[in-house]
Amino acid sequence: MSTQTLPIDRVSLVEQSKARKEPEWMTSLREQALELAGTLDWPVLEKTRIDRWNLTSFGTYKKPDALATLEALPESAKSLLSVGGEGTQDNLIIQRNSGVVYSRLSDTLKQQGVIFSSLEEALETHGDLVKSHFMSVVGKEENRLTALHAALWSGGVFLYVPKNVAVDVPVQALFLTDDGEASFSPHVLIVAEQHASVTYVDNFVSEGSLNGLVQNGVVEIVAKPGAKVTFASVHNLNESVTDLTYRRALLENDAQIEWIVGEMHYGNAMSDTTSILKGNGSISDAKVICVGTNDQKLNVTTRAVHFGKSSDSNMITRAVMRDEATAIINGITKIEHGATKANGEQTEKVLMLSPKSRGDANPILLIDEDDVTAGHAASVGQVNPEQVYYLMSRGISREEAQRLIIYGFLDPVVTEIPLEQIRSQLQRLVERKLGQ
């Protein structure tokens, strides 16, 4: 049983909630979650003792000032706003530290009934919708992290797409932390109604030394029958931030989720990206790239849980480790009893660039039904010296030969990413992290 001190007391939590004019049900939920956090343990991760990490600096809520102009953002943040091409800034939310400072939605999407706002604003304007789905996919009672998130979340995004509406342009969110004393725990809630479709892209960036700040984020996606959601996220926080994220999608009949995740941060990190294939014919596809440097400790899990008949999941993870970085890469396919004709495939591969780096690939199949298909592939290894020698024999330098091998290793994931802007961004970040 955990005995660590909670980052806030109940009285202060309630006062903050009331000061932010939150509905009574949210204040009550925060209270319950904080009480749970005092009784629950940290999550138990494969081969990673997260309880030994420095998880004390959650910051305190600071009401942010609205952003007067996008030019006021740091250059590292501004450079990401062009991602997505012309018109992206028409459908953009920016959170800075504890809250949203910029929000804009095009008239075209408004007329179609699309809601894209801060989660805090949605509590006021669409409270019943938020109440129906908030912490319904990720439970506050799961562990200390999820309980603390439910108690302390702020800012965040609410995206709602009505029935039969196809959003043709990506909507984008930018999460920036540059104050080590301000809380940074955004909650992303996406609801796609029957036969709706949408692409959502977000970036997490940081500026300056943030003294071990903990980013404790949650993503919940609810895809109703026949809906399709593409979710792309790139985390590029610096070494002074501990990055902890749960992403989870609940898929009804014939619904689809496509995950595109770039774990490109520099500090210790844990992420869990899960699809719950509740409905018959539901589909999940996940592509994850991870790069570790220095003495980072990473635990990256991709998971698919099949309940629906003829449901299909595919997950591909590629991790590159250098210096003294360590990574635990988990792929978990769970096919429940009754999920006949389900299919689950997964591949995890880790490439180590130095003798002191370490990577573990853990493919896990949990099958409780006979009439299914499932498979996995996993490998861990270093750069093949014979490949380097062959390329050098063709007049290529050792550094360039290693670069080509790395990109060849990542290529099966990168080339399958349907969003060109994310492919280009990930390539730049890989080059930066690997010093190329």
Side-chain angles (χ1 to χ4, degrees), residues 11 48 58 85 108 310 395:
V11 173
T48 301
F58 286 85
T108 300
S310 301

Side-chain angles (χ1 to χ4, degrees), residues 16-172:
Q16 284 186 9
S17 182
K18 290 182 176 179
R20 290 149 70 176
K21 299 181 180 179
E22 293 181 341
E24 182 60 36
W25 68 264
M26 178 58 74
T27 303
S28 177
L29 186 149
R30 288 186 186 273
E31 282 188 275
Q32 295 169 18
L34 186 67
E35 183 177 354
L36 280 171
T39 65
L40 296 172
D41 289 328
W42 299 114
V44 178
L45 306 179
E46 185 75 20
K47 300 180 181 179
T48 301
R49 291 291 302 273
I50 193 174
D51 57 313
R52 295 179 178 175
W53 292 7
N54 181 12
L55 302 178
T56 59
S57 181
F58 286 85
T60 57
Y61 175 78
K62 294 184 178 182
K63 184 178 180 179
D65 296 325
L67 195 65
T69 170
L70 298 181
E71 291 301 315
L73 291 170
E75 194 60 41
S76 60
K78 283 193 295 183
S79 67
L80 297 170
L81 299 184
S82 61
V83 173
E86 185 178 354
T88 300
Q89 294 178 22
D90 287 338
N91 306 297
L92 172 66
I93 288 175
I94 299 174
Q95 175 166 339
R96 190 169 195 169
N97 301 312
S98 298
V100 169
V101 296
Y102 181 93
S103 179
R104 184 170 178 179
L105 178 65
S106 70
D107 291 337
T108 300
L109 293 187
K110 287 179 183 177
Q111 292 167 5
Q112 292 178 294
V114 174
I115 303 168
F116 185 52
S117 70
S118 75
L119 186 55
E120 292 172 330
E121 179 184 344
L123 274 178
E124 298 181 18
T125 57
H126 301 90
D128 289 342
L129 267 177
V130 176
K131 184 178 180 180
S132 298
H133 298 99
F134 182 79
M135 298 304 290
S136 67
V137 187
V138 177
K140 62 181 182 298
E141 71 285 345
E142 293 184 22
N143 57 58
R144 175 181 277 258
L145 275 182
T146 61
L148 284 174
H149 173 87
L152 302 175
W153 75 271
S154 60
V157 167
F158 180 62
L159 172 59
Y160 175 83
V161 186
K163 180 179 178 180
N164 296 327
V165 171
V167 179
D168 297 326
V169 294
V171 298
Q172 182 181 2

Side-chain angles (χ1 to χ4, degrees), residues 281-412:
S282 53
I283 298 173
S284 170
D285 184 87
K287 301 176 180 69
V288 180
I289 287 180
C290 175
V291 177
T293 56
N294 300 320
D295 59 351
Q296 271 185 283
K297 295 177 178 61
L298 308 174
N299 189 291
V300 177
T301 298
T302 312
R303 186 191 330 258
V305 184
H306 294 252
F307 292 93
K309 295 178 174 62
S310 301
S311 53
D312 188 276
S313 69
N314 185 55
M315 57 186 80
I316 303 175
T317 304
R318 292 284 192 278
V320 178
M321 311 303 294
R322 57 171 282 184
D323 306 322
E324 298 181 18
T326 61
I328 307 299
I329 307 297
N330 306 300
I332 303 172
T333 302
K334 178 75 166 72
I335 301 181
E336 301 287 353
H337 181 67
T340 55
K341 307 297 183 183
N343 175 58
E345 304 291 336
Q346 57 168 282
T347 303
E348 296 83 38
K349 293 189 176 182
V350 182
L351 181 65
M352 296 178 292
L353 303 183
S354 67
K356 292 186 177 181
S357 62
R358 179 184 173 184
D360 287 350
N362 302 308
I364 301 171
L365 299 178
L366 304 170
I367 313 297
D368 289 335
E369 180 59 58
D370 295 330
D371 187 14
V372 300
T373 56
H376 65 78
S379 68
V380 176
Q382 296 183 337
V383 173
N384 190 329
E386 293 183 358
Q387 292 178 336
V388 175
Y389 177 79
Y390 173 80
L391 292 172
M392 290 177 65
S393 71
R394 297 298 185 267
I396 298 174
S397 68
R398 178 179 297 275
E399 291 75 15
E400 180 66 11
Q402 288 190 337
R403 190 183 73 85
L404 290 173
I405 291 169
I406 292 168
Y407 287 118
F409 174 77
L410 296 175
D411 190 67

Side-chain angles (χ1 to χ4, degrees), residues 194-206:
Q194 188 172 0
H195 298 297
S197 63
V198 68
T199 296
Y200 166 91
V201 179
D202 71 28
N203 281 273
F204 280 68
V205 293
S206 59

